[in-house]
Structures are given as structure tokens and as C-alpha cells.
Amino acid sequence: MNAKPVEVIQLWTGPRSLSTSLMYSFAQRDDTEVLDEPLYAHYLRVSGAERPYRDELLTQMEPDGSKVVEAIFGPCKMKYRFCKQMAKFRTPCLTDDILKGKHVILIRDPLAILPSFDDVVPATLKDLQWSSLLSMYSDLESIGKSPPVIDASDLQKDPEGVLRALCAALGMDFQHAMLKWNAGPKPEDGMWAKWWYSSVHRSTEFSPLPLHPRKPFPKALYTLLEECRPIYKMLKRHALQPQAPEAPPLPVPSNKNIFAWVGDEIVPRDDAKVSVFDSIVQGGDGVWEGLRIYKGKVFKLGEHLDRLFDSAKAMAFTNLPSRDFVKRALFSTLIINGMFDNAHVRLTLTRGMKVTSGMSPAFNLYGCTLLVVAEWKPPVYDNNGGIRLITASTRRNSPNCLDSKIHHNNLINNILAKVEGNTAGVDDAIMLDCDGFVSETNATNIFMVKKGRVLTPSADYCLPGITRETVIELVKQENIAMIERRISLTEFHTADEVWTTGTMGELTPVIEIDGRRIGSSRRITSRIQAAYKALTDKEGEPIPCK
């Protein structure tokens, strides 16, 4: 067979045995020649790096990088030439011809790399090559050749799926022979194999993910791990994942690329996370508010902040952020997202991160954690057609157990009632108090109309909502009788009109409770809806966006 121009595939990686396994995999193909780190001698000559085999390697391999690159793209009897390359071997003096052909980047979580690498050579950020890998990806992307990225753990979990996806990305057919090879040293091994390849020489296929780490992580490497992980995560986003499930659709697709406030900074949605040591994770230990944005203004912001800080005081939070800090975080999040209308904000204040797991607030020594999650979100209920309710068997908390006047994040009581509503196929569930009187729904306050009078349950077992209070005032301004008292379920079943109130849903008509059709009139409901809309149009604290 005559030699002819070859299609070159270069694998760029850091130190890890899986790159050698991938080289062995491609060596099993009937159309591929493989080269093991052809630029190694060039790198040692240029960098002056020390290796136990440095002198021997420099005598056995070509140290001139330009000549090596020329040879890489030289004629070959095979269709493909696969080169395993360390990312740092692409030194600044190397010709850009190295970017020709096709490229693959192999990454692995530094948490898995560092201990084994440090066993052989003391680990440094430079030797781990993350900046070199990122530079390679960026340079290839800038010339329109964004390389496929493989995460080692994905390859170990699903070798055939990842190899099929890789071959497709490279424009070549997958061959089943790529999944197996013989144990022992290989002709294509570099002379450094005896230092590095002992484990891969024992293998005959891609090793599965280990069930657990083989030893404790060295504490001395923790800072280095923190330096590596941001680059790993950046490249991980581009990794081939042929079997990854599709992300579920968002109710509002434009919320996919929003920003959130976490702690003391604004971060993209995918990075909006809190520590596993945060009290909100450890025990639902936080307080929150829901805010709605209308025409460049935050509606009832003062009242919501009052309740937020009152709830935090009732929960004995310490090291609270200032009111001005919370407002700055809120406004900053809204402005960077461009959210000036038809948006909803979930404002959460946790007791903060703990120094160790446990229930005691004595472990909270870092101060509170502030979370601002703003989303494009129209009212969550059908405020024209109305909603259907059932009565949940889950009772509302009594003040003997947990006072509902604290707007806390421990919402299991509400969630259990919502589960009942979901199971029944209705929109929400009414919750009764411990004596069987109506309290509220799992998410909203509730009102009813009977013979021209408006009634709502006393705020003994329910949250005295800010929208609830606003609606009570609007009813009075409309010269309609307004009564707060205990109300039985039967009274709601036989009401002329029923509606719910809440920041997320505004005012929502109820058309059915427990299969009973609520009276068809919406005369008073419509009046209060109109009055509420007029109020949101004119009131609110302006977002300082100019």
C-alpha cells in the first residue's frame, strides 16, 4: 500500500491513564496509526523540565518541535493518525501548524486526578495543564474548529456510547474493536511507560468508575483542587454526553439564562448554588418573601422587607445584612436580568453556613446567606377562567407548634397538602385548622362572598399575607362589608364567590371546591381584581435602572 496524506486526530489531555486507554482503543482500528506523545522530547528540551528518564528520552525522540509537527502531518499507510498529546507540550514556540487536522480534548475531574498524580510527581497547577487545555479549546474555537470534549467519567460509564459520539463528531465510523485490547505493554508505548502505565497495562478495556476513592484526598492539595475545578467545569459544559437525558422544559423558556444573587455576588443560573453546610439545606432554616415587579416598580417592597426582617428576628437570626444591602442585591439582580415588568422574585435569607453539620444555631458563625432569584413569571393561576380546589387532610400548623406569622422556609406542611391537590388533579388544596375551620390554601390566602359581604379566615392559623392585607383594604375602600372570623368549610362550599390571594397569583377566582360548583357570579371578585390592578399600576418602589 502506498503512503498517502493522512487525516490527523490529536487528543489533548493532562496526565491520566485514561488517555493511554483511548490511544489503545484507536490502535485497535484497522485504519488508524497511533503515536504516543510525539512532542514529549520537544517539551523537555524547551521547558527544561526534569523527568527520571529525561536524558534517555532526548536521545530516542526528535526534540525539534517543527520537525515533529511536519512528521505528524506527513504521509501514512493508514487513513487516520491518532496522536496522544499532553496539552502543555504545545509550547509558545511551536508552529500553529499543530492546529491543523482534527482535535479532541479529554478532561477528568481534578478530584480524581490529583492524588494519583501526586504519588509520582509533586502536583502543580502547571503540570496539571488546565490552563493549557483551556487555551487549546479557545484557540481552536476561534478558528471555527471547536473540538469535541470527553469527560473521563462519561467514557468510563458508557465507553461505547461516548466512542460512538466521538467517532461521529470526527466524521469516522465507529468500530467495535475499539472497546477491547490485549493486556501488557504495547509497541506504541512511549519509553516512559514503565513509570506511568502499570495500571493500564493490566487492563483489556476501559476501566469502570471505581465504587469509592482508593485513599483519602491529601489535605495539602485542597487549594490546588480549588484552582483547577473552575476550568474543569468550564470545559465540562462542552463534553459529549450521548445518553444524558434532555433537560425538562422550563415553564418560561427565557428563564434558562438568567442571573441570581447568592451570598454577596451575582452568578449565572447554573452556578446559583448554596453550600451543603448552609442552614437552608441542613434544616430548611430560612425566611423568605415573594415580590412582584410591575412597570419598573417593586410592589409593596417596604411591607415585604418588614416581614422578612420580622421573621428573621422571630427566628433569632444574627449577623443580618442591612436593609440597604438587601435592596441593592434585589435591584442589581433585576437590572442585570433586564426584568422591569411581569417578573417575580423569590427573596430568601438563610441563617447561613454552619461550621459543622447540626441543628444548633451556635454552629452558624459566618452570617446569613442572601438569595435573590428573579424569574420571568406571569401570574401562576388562571385569573380569568378560575381554579379548582379540594380540601386536604393535612391540617395547617397550630401556633402551638409553629406560628404561621413567621414566613419561614420549612414548608413541608404546605407541600403535603399540595401533593394531595396534585393527586386529585386540581389546582390547589384548602387547609383546615386543628378545629376544622378553613385556614388558607397550601399557597394562598382565601376569601369568600356571601350576600354581598366579603369574609376571610382570621389570621390565627394562616400567614397574614401582604396581598391579603392589601385586598382587605381595597374591599373596605369599595364600601363592601369586610369580615374576618373563623369560617367553616360548609360556608365556602355554599359561597356566592370565592377567590384566593397571593403575590405569585394575585387575585384568582375559585370555580369549584370539593366537586361543589361555586356560584357563577363574579361581581365583587371582578371589582376587587380591577382595584388591585389599578393599585399595582401606580404604586411600588422604582427600580433605579438609570
Side-chain angles (χ1 to χ4, degrees):
M1 182 183 294
N2 294 326
K4 57 184 178 180
V6 65
E7 293 185 39
V8 174
I9 300 166
Q10 297 191 76
L11 173 72
W12 297 96
T13 182
R16 54 188 63 88
S17 61
L18 202 67
S19 62
T20 307
S21 296
L22 199 55
M23 180 181 72
Y24 291 170
S25 171
F26 273 82
Q28 308 314 302
R29 296 178 62 95
D30 59 16
D31 57 2
T32 304
E33 172 189 272
V34 302
L35 299 179
D36 192 6
E37 302 179 28
L39 285 167
Y40 207 156
H42 161 79
Y43 168 75
L44 291 183
R45 179 182 65 82
V46 171
S47 67
E50 290 294 334
R51 291 292 184 269
Y53 41 81
R54 173 187 169 89
D55 292 340
E56 183 182 358
L57 189 149
L58 287 173
T59 61
Q60 291 186 14
M61 293 184 69
E62 174 58 62
D64 187 326
S66 297
K67 291 181 179 179
V68 174
V69 172
E70 185 178 352
I72 287 173
F73 291 95
C76 180
K77 293 182 179 181
M78 296 288 193
K79 182 177 180 180
Y80 302 105
R81 176 176 286 141
F82 180 93
C83 301
K84 185 187 102 179
Q85 304 271 34
M86 295 292 108
K88 64 183 179 182
F89 292 177
R90 183 198 169 207
T91 61
C93 63
L94 197 64
T95 172
D96 282 344
D97 285 349
I98 195 67
L99 298 180
K100 295 190 301 184
K102 298 177 180 179
H103 301 263
V104 182
I105 289 180
L106 175 65
I107 59 174
R108 189 179 181 189
D109 191 335
L111 184 62
I113 300 169
L114 280 168
S116 59
F117 183 78
D118 197 64
D119 285 345
V120 180
V121 177
T124 66
L125 184 61
K126 180 180 179 181
D127 279 334
L128 291 166
Q129 305 176 55
W130 285 107
S131 57
S132 298
L133 285 170
L134 182 59
S135 175
M136 175 60 71
Y137 184 91
S138 299
D139 289 348
L140 289 168
E141 185 180 44
S142 69
I143 60 174
K145 297 173 63 174
S146 298
V149 177
I150 299 174
D151 189 296
S153 62
D154 296 327
L155 183 58
Q156 290 176 283
K157 285 186 287 188
D158 182 12
E160 182 171 344
V162 172
L163 287 175
R164 284 184 178 276
L166 176 59
C167 289
L170 296 172
M172 59 196 307
D173 294 331
F174 168 75
Q175 294 184 7
H176 280 280
M178 299 175 73
L179 297 173
K180 297 280 187 178
W181 52 85
N182 294 326
K186 310 292 187 296
E188 54 268 16
D189 287 345
M191 52 78 58
W192 49 89
K194 63 182 179 181
W195 276 271
W196 296 99
Y197 292 0
S198 58
S199 63
V200 75
H201 281 166
R202 293 191 294 270
S203 71
T204 59
E205 59 187 348
F206 289 100
S207 59
L209 280 173
L211 296 176
H212 48 73
R214 63 182 180 87
K215 65 176 184 178
F217 187 85
K219 300 303 181 185
L221 299 178
Y222 198 88
T223 299
L224 182 58
L225 174 68
E226 290 182 318
E227 293 173 346
C228 296
R229 279 191 64 81
I231 303 177
Y232 165 72
K233 290 172 66 177
M234 190 180 305
L235 291 170
K236 170 72 173 174
R237 291 176 179 172
H238 302 284
L240 295 172
Q241 296 185 40
Q243 292 190 335
E246 290 187 12
L250 300 180
V252 180
S254 55
N255 285 327
K256 179 180 179 181
N257 296 317
I258 57 175
F259 297 91
W261 183 284
V262 179
D264 58 1
E265 63 177 343
I266 292 174
V267 295
R269 176 182 176 131
D270 288 346
D271 294 329
K273 300 174 177 66
V274 295
S275 169
V276 295
F277 287 95
D278 197 280
S279 289
I280 203 71
V281 179
Q282 296 266 324
D285 190 2
V287 296
W288 69 281
E289 289 295 319
L291 307 169
R292 187 161 280 287
I293 314 305
Y294 298 95
K295 298 181 179 180
K297 301 187 295 293
V298 184
F299 188 60
K300 298 289 182 179
L301 176 57
E303 290 87 338
H304 281 287
L305 291 182
D306 288 343
R307 188 171 66 183
L308 182 77
F309 283 98
D310 283 348
S311 295
K313 184 176 181 180
M315 296 278 286
F317 282 15
T318 58
N319 297 317
L320 291 165
S322 69
R323 193 179 181 103
D324 285 343
F325 179 84
V326 175
K327 290 176 70 172
R328 179 171 71 84
L330 169 65
F331 291 142
S332 296
T333 305
L334 291 170
I335 292 169
I336 200 168
N337 283 300
M339 293 181 180
F340 305 111
D341 193 27
N342 205 29
H344 178 270
V345 178
R346 178 100 173 190
L347 185 68
T348 303
L349 191 63
T350 84
R351 196 182 296 273
M353 196 166 67
K354 293 177 176 290
V355 294
T356 186
S357 294
M359 179 178 64
S360 174
F363 298 146
N364 292 84
L365 302 179
Y366 296 97
C368 295
T369 303
L370 178 65
L371 311 173
V372 185
V373 179
E375 295 179 282
W376 301 108
K377 186 173 290 188
V380 295
Y381 303 114
D382 184 351
N383 290 348
N384 294 316
I387 61 173
R388 298 162 57 236
L389 306 176
I390 62 155
T391 302
S393 62
T394 304
R395 296 300 175 100
R396 195 68 178 94
N397 291 321
S398 163
N400 285 325
C401 303
L402 184 57
D403 194 343
S404 295
K405 292 179 178 61
I406 302 174
H407 204 203
H408 56 80
N409 284 75
N410 223 310
L411 298 174
I412 296 299
N413 184 236
N414 306 69
I415 291 169
L416 289 173
K418 179 62 175 174
V419 168
E420 294 186 58
N422 289 349
T423 302
V426 298
D427 299 284
D428 267 337
I430 288 175
M431 302 183 72
L432 308 180
D433 64 27
C434 60
D435 294 322
F437 292 95
V438 172
S439 175
E440 58 182 347
T441 78
N442 55 271
T444 57
N445 294 122
I446 191 166
F447 289 73
M448 60 167 281
V449 178
K450 188 71 173 181
K451 296 182 178 179
R453 300 183 303 167
V454 176
L455 298 89
T456 194
S458 301
D460 296 327
Y461 293 85
C462 71
L463 176 75
I466 290 169
T467 307
R468 172 185 181 273
E469 184 62 32
T470 302
V471 167
I472 289 173
E473 293 302 316
L474 290 174
V475 169
K476 293 176 180 178
Q477 291 174 21
E478 293 290 317
N479 295 315
I480 301 170
M482 179 70 237
I483 301 168
E484 294 182 71
R485 64 168 173 82
R486 277 189 153 182
I487 306 172
S488 72
L489 185 58
T490 297
E491 291 179 276
F492 272 95
H493 285 162
T494 59
D496 298 328
E497 303 176 49
V498 177
W499 72 75
T500 64
T501 63
T503 301
M504 278 213 301
E506 301 176 333
L507 274 72
T508 307
V510 176
I511 60 175
E512 182 182 293
I513 300 175
D514 298 325
R516 280 85 161 176
R517 189 76 183 178
I518 304 302
S520 59
S521 171
R522 292 191 192 171
R523 182 175 58 86
I524 294 179
T525 304
S526 298
R527 282 176 63 185
I528 305 305
Q529 280 182 316
Y532 188 82
K533 183 180 185 307
L535 191 66
T536 61
D537 284 344
K538 68 180 182 180
E539 288 194 3
E541 183 158 343
I543 301 168
C545 55
K546 294 183 180 180

